[in-house]
Amino acid sequence: MVLSVCEDRGAVRPVIGLTTYLQQAQTGVWDVRASFLPAIYFEGVGLAGGISVLLPPQPADDAVAERIVSGLDGLIITGGRDVDPATYGAPRHPTTDEPGADSRTRDEFEFALLRAALRRGIPVLGICRGAQVLNVALGGTLHQHLPDVVGHVRHQQGNAVFSTSTITTVPGTTVAALVGPDTEAQCYHHQAIDRLGDGLIVSASDTDGVIEAVELDPAQHPDRWVVAVQWHPEERLDDLRLFAGLVGAAAASATHNTAQKVS
C-alpha cells in the first residue's frame, strides 16, 4: 500500500474534484435520475491524502467552469458512458452508447472543466472515459469499438467483469515514473484513443498496441501535471500510485498558490 502523501501534519491536503455520472439509478424503492459515483474513486483520493468534492454534471459555460475549478487543487475526470462521437466529428458506431440529453450534459460539463483546469494549470487525472474525454477535448479521435481493431473482446468482457491487461510504459514519462516499466491493470473499455490530441504523448500501451495512457508533453508543458489512463486504478486500492501522483501534484500546486497569495 502506498502511504498518503499528506501524512505530515504540516502538509496541505488538496481538494480534488471528481466528475460524476448523470443517469437513471435505482436505490431501494426509488428509481430516479441521479448524479452518483462509485465510492472507490473518492476512497482512492482519501487514502492518498486528498479531500474529495463530487461535481454533478450540469449546464456550465466557461465562466461557470472557471468558478468551479478555482475552488479545486486537482481534477479527476472519471469513467462512464461513451463520449458522443459527434464531439469528434464521427458517425455513431452501432455499439456506441446512444447519446441522450444527460450524457450530452456530462460531455459538455467535463469539456468545460478540462478547459478551465488546463487554463489554470491545476493537475488532472483522467480515468477510462476520462482519458477519452481529454483526448477529444484536445482535438483527438477515438476507436469506437476495439474488437473491430484488435479482433477480440478481452478489453471489455461484459457483465461488469474487469479483465487484467499487461501495460508497458514509455520511459521518461510521468506514468513510467509512477508505475514503473510495466504494470497489471484492470480494464473495462470497448473504446480507445485513435488519433492523438494536440499536445499529448503516449505514455503506455498494452500488448495489442492499444494506447492505455497519455499525458501532456513535458517538453511543451514542463510545469503541468496532466495524466490520463485507459484502465481503472480505483479497482486496485492496494496500489495508490496514480492517486498519490495526482494528490502530490495537487498538494504542491496548492502550497505554491498559497505562498503566492501570502507574498
Side-chain angles (χ1 to χ4, degrees), residues 104-178:
R104 288 192 177 100
T105 294
R106 182 178 180 185
D107 287 349
E108 292 166 3
F109 182 61
E110 292 182 347
F111 288 142
L113 290 179
L114 264 175
R115 288 193 297 269
L118 293 172
R119 281 193 297 268
R120 284 184 164 268
I122 73 166
V124 175
L125 174 63
I127 294 176
C128 196
R129 166 190 158 91
Q132 297 166 9
V133 169
L134 174 65
N135 192 61
V136 171
L138 294 177
T141 62
L142 305 177
H143 293 298
Q144 289 190 52
H145 194 52
L146 271 180
D148 293 346
V149 179
V150 298
H152 60 75
V153 297
R154 287 195 297 273
H155 293 89
Q156 187 185 79
Q157 299 181 51
N159 296 318
V161 175
F162 285 82
S163 59
T164 302
S165 296
T166 300
I167 309 299
T168 301
T169 61
V170 176
T173 61
T174 299
V175 173
L178 288 171

Side-chain angles (χ1 to χ4, degrees), residues 20 103 134 151 183 190 226 241:
T20 70
S103 62
L134 174 65
T183 189
H190 82 111
V226 177
R241 290 176 292 182

Side-chain angles (χ1 to χ4, degrees), residues 43-129:
E43 287 170 353
V45 170
L47 288 169
I51 301 167
S52 292
V53 174
L54 301 189
L55 306 174
Q58 57 198 287
D61 58 17
D62 284 349
V64 171
E66 284 282 351
R67 289 195 64 190
I68 294 170
V69 170
S70 69
L72 304 176
D73 302 311
L75 175 67
I76 296 178
I77 307 294
T78 61
R81 290 170 56 87
D82 298 332
V83 178
D84 183 355
T87 60
Y88 51 94
R92 187 176 74 87
H93 188 282
T95 64
T96 296
D97 293 329
E98 187 169 358
D102 286 344
S103 62
R104 288 192 177 100
T105 294
R106 182 178 180 185
D107 287 349
E108 292 166 3
F109 182 61
E110 292 182 347
F111 288 142
L113 290 179
L114 264 175
R115 288 193 297 269
L118 293 172
R119 281 193 297 268
R120 284 184 164 268
I122 73 166
V124 175
L125 174 63
I127 294 176
C128 196
R129 166 190 158 91

